């Protein structure tokens, strides 16, 4: 079949790479794509916020499946529009995508379904939110309710930090996403991510991962969309994963189905592994970025077959197998990210990295100008490697980074250090 992929980031490049390798794929289109995706797909200029334009393109190009990568079109209801036009699309409909579109929606769902998560309050008034912080004390977590590109969360270690975060939300720093605020109890533990496919009834566990969000060395500086990741997550043992499925994911899928808003797509559970067990931090309604990059490197089965099973309601008939190796990705970002950064600097040396099956450079924010590859975003490249251990994968990724000529960029030097430390402790 012909397939249309929506998106332009590192997640979409990883998906394009996996989809292009599927025996079910005839022609792959990407809208709008990037310089890396152009090697896997035909990139097209298409306004993906215009559902009628997307539907027209699908009909004109005999598209059998649309894969929606980023959260924005999902929350806006693109899958609903495509389904209404009789076009298959991978991703949840608008009502179920509210799991990511509204943090308050998810917290309320957890309360109704008895899903373990942090205590919380929802506020549309700054004064009430500030009073809640003073009542609960710090540390405490302040979140913009809506989509804020991964930047609307503040883990406040003092009350003053929390109050400033509340003011930032209601003063418009995050636009409409901050019109409502969720204030949560601070959870102690280790974060991990669990990825699951759902067809609305069934849930199929995919893989676990851990990502690093702070921009600076040693986990310092502001949160970003993600500076690196590795999979699997050592803290997610078989027992812990089973508990997370049983106590968090499966009740979520069942509750949404019972309430008439079944979730079909990929469910990304951000977890805190506490002394009491797994607790839900938040849900995303799409693959993570950069977690998708490490997952696609490890996936042995056909991604298109899995996606179609979600759309067709046949997820109980398929399975997913994974490579034993660890996959790790390091993000190369433009200097200044996540603040003001420059675009247009040239990146050289990427072609010399092709040909190693244990290494892949996924493009996140790039464009071409003639034969040149130029930086075109904050997060620019994802250098992704396989290895027998986290340390092996990290060594391979950083060796590749040293061969990339991009003087305007920088990279995180400590991706994977927690897992490496655990391995060294175990001997």
């Amino acid at each position: 079949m012909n397939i249309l992929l929506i998106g332009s980031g590192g997640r979409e490049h990883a998906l394009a790479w996996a989809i292009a390798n599927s025996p079910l794929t005839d022609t792959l289109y990407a809208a709008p794509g990037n310089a890396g995706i152009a090697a896997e797909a035909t990139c097209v200029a298409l306004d993906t916020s215009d559902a009628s334009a997307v539907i027209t393109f699908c009909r004109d190009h005999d598209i059998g499946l649309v894969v929606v990568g980023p959260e924005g079109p999902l929350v806006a209801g693109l899958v609903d529009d495509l389904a209404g036009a009789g076009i298959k699309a991978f991703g949840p409909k608008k009502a179920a995508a509210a799991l990511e579109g509204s943090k308050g929606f998810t917290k309320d769902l957890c309360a109704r379904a008895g899903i373990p998560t942090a205590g919380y309050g929802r506020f549309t008034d700054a004064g009430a939110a500030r009073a809640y912080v003073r009542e609960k004390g710090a540390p405490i977590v302040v979140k913009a309710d809506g989509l804020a590109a991964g930047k609307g969360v503040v883990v406040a270690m003092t009350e003053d930090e929390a109050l400033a975060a509340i003011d930032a939300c209601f003063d418009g720093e995050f636009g409409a996403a901050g019109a409502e605020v969720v204030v949560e109890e601070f959870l102690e533990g280790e974060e991990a991510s669990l990825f699951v496919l759902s067809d609305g009834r069934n849930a199929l566990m995919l893989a676990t991962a851990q990502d690093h969000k702070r921009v600076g060395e040693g986990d310092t500086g502001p949160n970003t969309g993600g500076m690196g990741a590795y999979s699997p997550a050592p803290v997610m043992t078989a027992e812990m994963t089973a508990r997370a499925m049983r106590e968090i994911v499966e009740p979520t899928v069942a509750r949404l189905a019972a309430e008439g808003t079944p979730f079909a797509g990929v469910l990304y559970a951000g977890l805190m592994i506490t002394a009491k067990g797994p607790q839900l931090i938040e849900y995303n309604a799409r693959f993570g970025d950069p977690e998708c990059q490490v997952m696609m490197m490890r996936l042995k089965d056909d991604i298109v077959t899995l996606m179609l099973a979600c759309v067709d309601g046949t997820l109980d008939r398929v399975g997913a197998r994974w490579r034993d190796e660890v996959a790790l990705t390091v993000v190369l970002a433009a200097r200044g990210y996540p603040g003001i950064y420059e675009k247009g600097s040239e990146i050289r040396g990427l072609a010399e990295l092709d040909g190693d099956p244990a290494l892949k450079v996924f493009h996140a924010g790039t464009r071409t100008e003639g034969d040149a590859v130029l930086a075109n975003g904050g997060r620019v490249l994802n250098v992704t490697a396989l290895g027998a251990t986290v340390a092996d994968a990290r060594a391979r990724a950083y060796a590749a980074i040293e061969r990339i000529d991009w003087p305007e960029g920088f990279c995180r030097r400590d991706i994977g250090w927690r897992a490496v430390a655990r391995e060294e402790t175990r001997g």
Side-chain angles (χ1 to χ4, degrees):
M1 67 178 68
N2 296 335
I3 298 175
L4 172 64
L5 172 64
I6 304 294
S8 63
R11 166 184 49 229
E12 286 75 36
H13 188 188
L15 290 173
W17 177 69
I19 292 168
N21 287 322
S22 169
L24 298 179
T25 303
D26 287 329
T27 301
L28 174 61
Y29 298 93
N34 62 36
I37 293 172
E40 321 287 352
T42 299
C43 293
V44 295
L46 180 62
D47 182 1
T48 57
S49 66
D50 183 348
S52 62
V54 175
I55 291 168
T56 297
F57 179 90
C58 290
R59 288 174 173 163
D60 289 346
H61 293 82
D62 192 25
I63 299 297
L65 176 68
V66 178
V67 177
V68 184
E71 62 273 21
L74 295 171
V75 172
L78 179 58
V79 172
D80 303 65
D81 295 323
L82 291 167
I87 299 167
K88 290 184 178 183
F90 174 77
K93 292 184 176 180
K94 182 176 183 177
L99 279 178
E100 178 164 7
S102 169
K103 295 176 179 65
F105 173 89
T106 297
K107 299 297 285 191
D108 287 352
L109 179 80
C110 289
R112 295 195 301 274
I115 293 168
T117 188
Y120 72 103
R122 296 181 69 176
F123 305 95
T124 55
D125 173 74
R130 291 168 68 91
Y132 186 84
V133 166
R134 292 192 179 99
E135 174 190 347
K136 298 296 184 181
I140 200 164
V141 181
V142 178
K143 298 180 178 181
D145 178 71
L147 298 179
K151 301 177 181 68
V153 177
V154 174
V155 180
M157 303 311 293
T158 68
E159 287 189 19
D160 286 344
E161 284 183 81
L163 298 177
I166 289 168
D167 290 342
C169 286
F170 287 113
D171 288 346
E173 182 173 331
F174 305 107
E180 182 173 338
V181 167
V182 174
V183 183
E184 292 184 353
E185 168 195 8
F186 176 80
L187 294 176
E188 291 272 6
E190 183 171 349
E191 288 191 47
S193 301
L194 175 64
F195 292 86
V196 177
L197 291 178
S198 174
D199 62 6
R201 293 182 304 112
N202 305 291
L204 173 66
M205 204 280 284
L206 290 179
T208 64
Q210 284 183 310
D211 76 331
H212 296 257
K213 290 194 177 297
R214 292 190 183 273
V215 73
E217 302 292 344
D219 279 340
T220 59
N223 276 344
T224 70
M227 294 302 295
Y230 51 87
S231 173
V235 72
M236 294 301 292
T237 62
E239 178 185 3
M240 193 61 67
T241 299
R243 282 192 62 181
M245 290 292 293
R246 183 175 64 251
E247 298 174 15
I248 296 174
V249 172
E250 291 169 0
T252 298
V253 172
R255 188 76 189 197
L256 287 172
E259 294 182 358
T261 55
F263 187 101
V266 62
L267 193 57
Y268 164 6
L271 306 174
M272 184 68 77
I273 309 305
T274 72
K276 297 179 180 179
Q279 296 202 47
L280 181 70
I281 300 173
E282 63 182 10
Y283 272 128
N284 291 322
R286 37 71 189 179
F287 284 105
D289 189 347
E291 294 95 337
C292 185
Q293 290 83 311
V294 292
M295 290 173 60
M296 291 304 104
M297 286 287 281
R298 293 187 60 227
L299 181 62
K300 294 171 67 175
D301 285 303
D302 176 29
I303 188 65
V304 176
T305 296
L306 296 174
M307 289 175 169
L308 287 172
C310 291
V311 178
D312 295 337
T314 58
L315 198 59
D316 54 336
R317 302 179 193 173
V318 299
R321 296 171 299 164
W322 302 88
R323 297 184 186 278
D324 293 332
E325 296 101 321
V326 172
L328 179 143
T329 191
V330 181
V331 172
L332 274 66
R335 188 171 284 113
Y337 174 80
I340 298 172
Y341 56 86
E342 292 185 6
K343 299 180 181 180
S345 55
E346 185 175 356
I347 306 166
R348 302 182 182 90
L350 297 178
E352 286 75 9
L353 299 177
D354 290 341
D356 183 349
L359 180 73
K360 180 69 178 178
V361 179
F362 294 113
H363 292 229
T366 62
R367 64 181 177 88
T368 55
E369 189 172 286
D371 293 332
V373 175
L374 306 181
N376 196 46
R379 294 186 296 170
V380 179
L381 297 172
N382 310 144
V383 181
T384 312
L386 292 170
T389 65
V390 176
D392 291 339
R394 186 176 67 173
R396 179 173 281 119
Y398 283 120
I401 289 168
E402 295 300 330
R403 298 170 61 190
I404 296 174
D405 180 13
W406 184 36
E408 299 302 316
F410 71 89
C411 61
R412 276 284 298 273
R413 292 287 171 183
D414 60 357
I415 299 301
W417 68 268
R418 291 189 184 93
V420 171
R422 272 192 292 270
E423 288 177 356
E424 291 172 347
T425 299
R426 288 197 295 261

